[in-house]
Amino acid sequence: FMKRRKSWSRYPPGPASLPFIGTMLQIDFCNPHLSFKQLSKKFGNVFSLQNCWRNVVVLNGFKTVKEALIQKSEDFADRPYFPIYKHLGYGENAEGVVVARYGWAWKEQRRFAFSTLKNLGMGKKSLEHRVTEEAGFLCSVICSKEGHPFDPHFLINNAVSNVICSLVYGERFDYDNKKFQMLLRLHEKALNEESGLLPQLLTAVPWLLRIPGLPQRVFQSQRKVLDFTDELVKEHKATCNPTQKRDFTDAFLQEMEKTKEHTESSFNVNNLRMVIVDLFSAGTETTSTTLRWALLYMLLYPDIQRKVHEEIDKVIGKDRSPQMEDQVNMPYTNAVIHETQRYGDIVPAGVPHMTYRDTELQGFFIPKGTTVLINLSSVLKDETVWEKPHQFYPEHFLDADGQFVKREAFLPFSAGRRVCLGEQLARMELFLFFTSLLQHFTFHLPEGHARPREDGHFALTLTPHPYQIQAVPR
Ligand code: HEM
């Protein structure tokens, strides 16, 4: 008891806690990373918060995050339990991947998802062709705009999402497919439903979910996304052939068949919908948001766009499609994509972790079961690491000879055991979509339009405010 009391005396400092609500008023839940930045100035890189009764510790800066996620990876590998998800059908052995607790069911699903995506072409030529083909469709639709201003948001979303669709359902959807458009919009709304004060409050005080009708109202879009997924899985089952693996859904259904004797198996129909929704939402919004930031920066920094054009013309030319092998010969374009991910800061507050056991970090004691927020923004904009943390500066990733350099603090995909499962796929998509777009077009800010904002809108991801663009064929 004395030993434990002594340990608690080394619990990270934080703002004073009020009865019942704890420190919740200290955080702007619409921009948590900005609140974390302010609080870390006062309390240091490891500070604590109290969401009602929930203990929360926030980690800031590259050195701290590296120690936690890389050196003490397993100590920080768990996820907090979110009672709100129970209302969406998450349950024992059916937690998908993203919010699954650290344990065998998560390991089984993570390993399965990774190897299946690999077998379906992730990191290989076959998928490269699929992405290049999709980039071609995207360029054709943009061409049809004939230089008139348009908002690239849903076109890019549709193209990126089609890559995941090909992997998961074995099919893509045309850009004017109304049903698919609706699904994409629902996914975005679903992300909005998960951010802000209300979901935090419901997580901290789950009995509020017993208020009749509240969960149904709060998670309307998420429910519709799941209904939609069920429909697609049903259609799939009807055409499934046990000797063939067309896509991820087929592979999962076959695994379900193989393990149907094991009542404990995480391959069950409930988990199938959770894993599909995870791949879909984790894989679409992040990559498409990054591409939207990339185009926005090209509008705002025409000199940088010109240099990318020059490199594309020199290395790829106009007559063939970009391919992954080109990347090593295109250090400037590669640096621009990396800088977009750093400066765009797409998942600024990370995905919540939880300590798997009692642990120590930078001399502080963090007990088992503490929610840990990884302030990725503070790593990507760490003032002790980056030369110009608050500017769009591709030279962060170039040496004096203009060659590409990797940077240790480049952690947009996080690190450690819960590192992004789709990093390889995302990197391929970012390079192929971005170079294809810039190979075909010069992007301008339409005449008379105000300069777009560089700050973003936060809803788990940080997305650009809507902007219009003019694409002039090259
Ligand atoms: C997790 C970023 C694309 C699937 C994550 C996490 C981040 C992230 C920050 C949380 C890691 C943590 O908890 O510490 C990104 C970015 C992307 C991207 C910036 C694009 C630019 C993708 C794609 C897929 C994907 C294309 C689809 C295959 C996942 C999954 C997880 C995850 C399944 C959960 C991993 C786990 O909990 O074990 N991603 N991601 N992501 N991502 Fe991505």
Side-chain angles (χ1 to χ4, degrees):
F1 171 74
M2 291 303 286
K3 199 173 152 205
R4 202 150 173 87
R5 224 176 110 169
K6 211 169 152 203
S7 302
W8 272 96
S9 68
R10 288 185 290 112
Y11 188 67
S17 183
L18 294 171
F20 182 68
I21 52 170
T23 57
M24 287 181 88
L25 295 181
Q26 301 277 341
I27 305 297
D28 168 7
F29 287 101
C30 293
N31 279 300
H33 55 295
L34 301 183
S35 303
F36 297 161
K37 187 174 173 187
Q38 289 307 321
L39 288 167
S40 69
K41 278 188 195 150
K42 191 159 172 200
F43 297 104
N45 279 339
V46 185
F47 66 81
S48 64
L49 296 171
Q50 183 92 34
N51 279 3
C52 296
W53 297 278
R54 218 177 239 245
N55 287 336
V56 179
V57 165
V58 185
L59 309 185
N60 302 274
F62 172 57
K63 213 169 131 223
T64 314
V65 169
K66 182 179 167 191
E67 183 182 336
L69 295 187
I70 299 170
Q71 273 125 278
K72 298 191 168 150
S73 186
E74 191 172 49
D75 293 4
F76 289 89
D78 208 354
R79 293 269 192 236
Y81 170 61
F82 294 100
I84 51 175
Y85 290 130
K86 220 172 140 189
H87 289 266
L88 297 169
Y90 285 76
E92 215 178 319
N93 304 335
E95 298 179 314
V97 180
V98 180
V99 300
R101 299 291 304 271
Y102 180 69
W104 67 267
W106 165 78
K107 272 188 198 151
E108 189 168 65
Q109 286 307 322
R110 186 170 165 115
R111 209 176 294 138
F112 175 78
F114 193 75
S115 64
T116 307
L117 292 180
K118 242 183 151 167
N119 290 340
L120 291 167
M122 187 165 83
K124 295 188 196 151
K125 268 278 168 221
S126 52
L127 192 63
E128 195 181 318
H129 288 313
R130 179 69 271 281
V131 179
T132 316
E133 183 190 37
E134 194 61 51
F137 291 132
L138 178 63
C139 289
S140 303
V141 184
I142 293 181
C143 208
S144 71
K145 303 279 175 199
E146 296 178 336
H148 296 297
F150 67 98
D151 181 343
H153 184 159
F154 279 101
L155 284 182
I156 293 182
N157 236 6
N158 207 327
V160 169
S161 174
N162 266 340
V163 176
I164 289 283
C165 279
S166 309
L167 289 166
V168 175
Y169 301 122
E171 59 178 316
R172 64 174 293 280
F173 296 88
D174 281 332
Y175 298 162
D176 52 7
N177 182 318
K178 292 276 172 292
K179 208 167 161 190
F180 192 59
Q181 293 295 331
M182 195 182 81
L183 179 65
L184 292 178
R185 283 182 165 78
L186 280 175
H187 264 287
E188 276 206 15
K189 277 196 191 160
L191 276 181
N192 275 303
E193 283 174 358
E194 282 192 57
S195 54
L197 181 63
L198 188 58
Q200 297 295 329
L201 202 63
L202 293 175
T203 302
V205 195
W207 56 258
L208 289 175
L209 288 161
R210 293 202 204 131
I211 298 173
L214 187 68
Q216 287 76 0
R217 280 203 36 211
V218 178
F219 304 115
Q220 260 180 41
S221 306
Q222 304 210 347
R223 278 164 186 272
K224 286 189 189 151
V225 166
L226 283 165
D227 291 345
F228 209 99
T229 310
D230 290 343
E231 217 179 286
L232 284 168
V233 169
K234 206 166 130 199
E235 281 170 19
H236 221 84
K237 266 185 176 164
T239 55
C240 192
N241 172 352
T243 58
Q244 220 189 348
K245 266 193 197 111
R246 292 168 297 182
D247 47 49
F248 185 87
T249 310
D250 273 1
F252 198 103
L253 288 169
Q254 287 173 21
E255 208 57 33
M256 262 169 64
E257 190 57 30
K258 267 197 249 163
T259 56
K260 67 178 176 202
E261 306 299 326
H262 310 292
T263 45
E264 295 280 278
S265 168
S266 69
F267 291 98
N268 53 64
V269 73
N270 208 12
N271 212 12
L272 171 59
R273 63 208 287 260
M274 300 307 167
V275 176
I276 289 182
V277 171
D278 273 359
L279 292 178
F280 215 94
S281 37
T284 299
E285 194 51 33
T286 43
T287 315
S288 113
T289 298
T290 310
L291 284 168
R292 276 156 59 212
W293 279 121
L295 291 191
L296 181 73
Y297 298 143
M298 294 304 97
L299 296 185
L300 297 177
Y301 305 105
D303 285 349
I304 296 179
Q305 179 172 193
R306 189 180 39 77
K307 286 193 203 165
V308 174
H309 279 148
E310 280 169 14
E311 192 172 66
I312 291 176
D313 292 347
K314 193 174 93 195
V315 178
I316 307 174
K318 295 213 160 85
D319 302 327
R320 69 165 177 90
S321 301
Q323 48 193 34
M324 286 314 287
E325 280 107 78
D326 294 322
Q327 204 174 22
V328 284
N329 301 318
M330 299 177 71
Y332 192 76
T333 307
N334 203 8
V336 167
I337 295 171
H338 278 70
E339 182 64 355
T340 300
Q341 286 198 268
R342 186 200 68 81
Y343 185 62
D345 200 4
I346 324 295
V347 195
V351 176
H353 285 233
M354 188 168 86
T355 39
Y356 185 59
R357 54 172 74 92
D358 284 357
T359 189
E360 300 250 339
L361 191 73
Q362 309 219 325
F364 293 108
F365 167 70
I366 309 180
K368 176 181 173 167
T370 306
T371 298
V372 177
L373 302 181
I374 315 284
N375 184 2
L376 287 179
S377 181
S378 70
V379 179
L380 295 175
K381 295 185 175 166
D382 188 328
E383 289 169 8
T384 64
V385 173
W386 304 96
E387 296 78 64
K388 298 185 182 183
H390 308 295
Q391 281 180 38
F392 186 75
Y393 184 63
E395 286 73 12
H396 281 135
F397 296 92
L398 294 169
D399 66 12
D401 302 322
Q403 289 309 304
F404 182 79
V405 276
K406 280 192 182 159
R407 299 290 301 261
E408 228 195 329
F410 178 73
L411 295 183
F413 298 101
S414 190
R417 297 202 185 203
R418 304 299 292 236
V419 66
C420 173
L421 179 123
E423 175 171 351
Q424 225 182 346
L425 173 62
R427 283 174 181 273
M428 181 196 267
E429 289 186 76
L430 291 179
F431 181 74
L432 293 176
F433 276 120
F434 183 69
T435 39
S436 300
L437 287 167
L438 278 262
Q439 182 187 35
H440 286 92
F441 304 101
T442 304
F443 292 99
H444 297 284
L445 182 63
E447 231 181 85
H449 282 228
R451 188 180 159 88
R453 293 166 64 164
E454 274 188 70
D455 63 333
H457 163 76
F458 177 84
L460 290 185
T461 52
L462 195 65
T463 55
H465 293 281
Y467 63 88
Q468 297 268 314
I469 200 166
Q470 225 172 345
V472 177
R474 301 182 62 226

